[in-house]
Amino acid sequence: MAQSVAQPTTTPTVVPAKLPIGAIVPWAVFFGILMLVLLYFVGAEQGATSVMNGDNVHEWVHDARHLLGFPCH
């Protein structure tokens, strides 16, 4: 009976793609500002700090306020 010998296999080396930090910074700043604006409208758009008149924004984000733990009543 013949003996078969398994040949060693080589796995290709995976090199992660390099992403320059300069490409990430503008997007991080943009999304950071967007998140702060959304946090303002969900958390503080009522009363003395209100930017818009009326209760429209408050009613649109009412459930999100409760979901995130902001009191509003």
Side-chain angles (χ1 to χ4, degrees):
M1 200 170 193
Q3 292 181 344
S4 53
V5 177
Q7 297 295 325
T9 58
T10 58
T11 57
T13 308
V14 178
V15 179
K18 295 186 180 195
L19 186 60
I21 198 77
I24 297 173
V25 170
W27 288 104
V29 170
F30 170 73
F31 283 113
I33 291 171
L34 182 65
M35 289 299 113
L36 287 174
V37 169
L38 288 174
L39 182 64
Y40 169 76
F41 277 111
V42 170
E45 176 59 26
Q46 68 178 17
T49 63
S50 179
V51 174
M52 299 187 178
N53 294 332
D55 289 334
N56 291 333
V57 173
H58 175 81
E59 293 303 323
W60 290 337
V61 297
H62 185 86
D63 292 336
R65 293 177 65 86
H66 292 294
L67 182 67
L68 294 173
F70 287 100
C72 67
H73 297 286

